């Protein structure tokens, strides 16, 4: 988590706003208006920026250098809307969000899922997936070869000790913060980090990820000559296939889950089903000096422009951005406003059971709750 410096506290924060594709253009403005209306929030200036597949179709460039330069040199944080990624190869196109994560050093994707379970009678859910953001199959090193027996496609999967150790440290730091918040609130729920891998099959790549993350915990104890900073945080492991099974059967057993890029992407999207919809689930892309909020949902072209998109994931991502910048009180204010709207159950979009409200209805309800 970043801490607001004195210079930041004396001037308006500059937030890069990248709606990108589809419903990103509808939900990101809602998040901006909620930020502007939040009591106690820091002063903010919003900088409109361009990226996305739709931009690529118009200009041949999915992520202009001007967008990267502005974020690096003139912004304190950013919000990303959604991106349309074609399911087939498009010559010259690569995902702007993947490139942004690399350009800005955003090596961790942090995706919390909490709240009443979608399944009646189940225990409340409060888990967060810490997804390594820079490696695995997402380095996009693929080849297609013609052979006498037909085409053969290959993809290189990269797992490094440096990146795995770094994401392991981020997971334990998040766990440490959750432990402190629970203790402050009188919550006795144990704090635990679960390493998600498949090293029983991928013994080299997943094996390196597993040992690197475990090494963070062990090195902490060694450096402190016994109990370390992470003392009191439990650690266990889960094979990714059994992780998915257990997550849907008993999600309450998970707290902080750390995973390589692909597994983290899949399990965090799946976890959204536990609370009812991808339209509710927030994330931030975090580095050591920059934060970018990003709702977990996609561009949803089937509902684009129909005032049907659920803006809650975007609003929660904006709050998460504030939280990880160190502005915890205004972030909590937004979380509580959203929770109140969901609990009331009157302003629910069609992605939620019984929902018939519009994007505008949900925005008005959240602004009303803030007021």
């Amino acid at each position: 988590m970043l801490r607001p410096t004195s210079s930041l506290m004396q001037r308006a924060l500059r937030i890069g706003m990248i709606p990108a594709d589809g419903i990103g253009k509808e939900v990101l403005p809602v998040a901006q208006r909620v930020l502007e209306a939040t009591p106690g929030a820091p002063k903010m200036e919003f900088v409109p920026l361009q990226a996305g597949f739709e931009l690529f179709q118009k200009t041949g460039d999915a992520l202009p250098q001007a967008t990267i330069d502005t974020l690096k040199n003139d912004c304190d944080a950013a919000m990303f809307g959604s991106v349309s990624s074609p399911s087939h190869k498009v010559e010259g196109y690569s995902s702007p969000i993947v490139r942004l994560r690399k350009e800005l050093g955003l090596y961790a994707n942090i995706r919390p899922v909490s709240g009443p379970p979608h399944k009646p009678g189940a225990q409340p859910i409060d888990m967060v997936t810490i997804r390594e953001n820079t490696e695995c199959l997402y380095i996009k090193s693929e080849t297609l070869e013609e052979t006498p027996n037909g085409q053969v496609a290959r993809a290189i999967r990269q797992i490094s000790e440096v990146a795995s150790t770094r994401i392991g440290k981020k997971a334990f730091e998040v766990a440490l913060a959750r432990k402190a918040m629970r203790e402050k609130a009188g919550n006795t729920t144990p704090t635990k980090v679960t390493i998600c891998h498949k090293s029983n099959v991928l013994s080299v790549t997943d094996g390196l990820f597993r040992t690197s993350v475990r090494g963070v915990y062990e090195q902490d104890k060694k450096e402190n000559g016994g109990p370390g900073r992470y003392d009191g945080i439990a650690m266990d492991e889960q094979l990714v296939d059994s992780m998915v099974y257990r997550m849907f059967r008993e999600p309450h057993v998970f707290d902080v889950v750390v995973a390589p890029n692909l597994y983290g992407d899949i399990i965090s999207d799946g976890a959204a089903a536990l609370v009812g919809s991808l339209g509710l689930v927030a994330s931030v892309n975090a580095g050591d000096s920059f934060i970018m909020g990003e709702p977990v949902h996609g561009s949803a072209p089937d509902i684009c422009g129909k005032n049907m998109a659920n803006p809650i994931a975007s609003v929660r991502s904006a709050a998460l951005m504030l939280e990880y910048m160190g502005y915890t009180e205004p972030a909590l204010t937004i979380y509580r406003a959203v929770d109140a709207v969901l609990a009331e159950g009157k302003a629910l979009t069609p992605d939620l059971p019984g929902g018939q409200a519009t994007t505008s209805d949900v925005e008005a309800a959240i602004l009303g709750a803030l007021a």
Side-chain angles (χ1 to χ4, degrees), residues 66-85:
T67 294
I68 298 170
D69 292 343
T70 301
L71 289 170
K72 285 183 175 180
N73 303 320
D74 199 33
C75 291
D76 303 298
M79 286 291 300
F80 191 92
S82 60
V83 64
S84 296
S85 293

Side-chain angles (χ1 to χ4, degrees), residues 64 68 94 152 165 168 195 205 217 253 288 369:
I68 298 170
S94 61
V152 176
T165 300
I195 308 170
T205 49
Y217 191 77
V253 304
D288 294 326

Side-chain angles (χ1 to χ4, degrees), residues 28 55 86 114 252 296-297 301 338 347 352 359 365:
L28 215 59
L55 181 67
S114 63
H252 58 276
V296 171
H297 61 67
V338 170
L352 296 169
T359 308

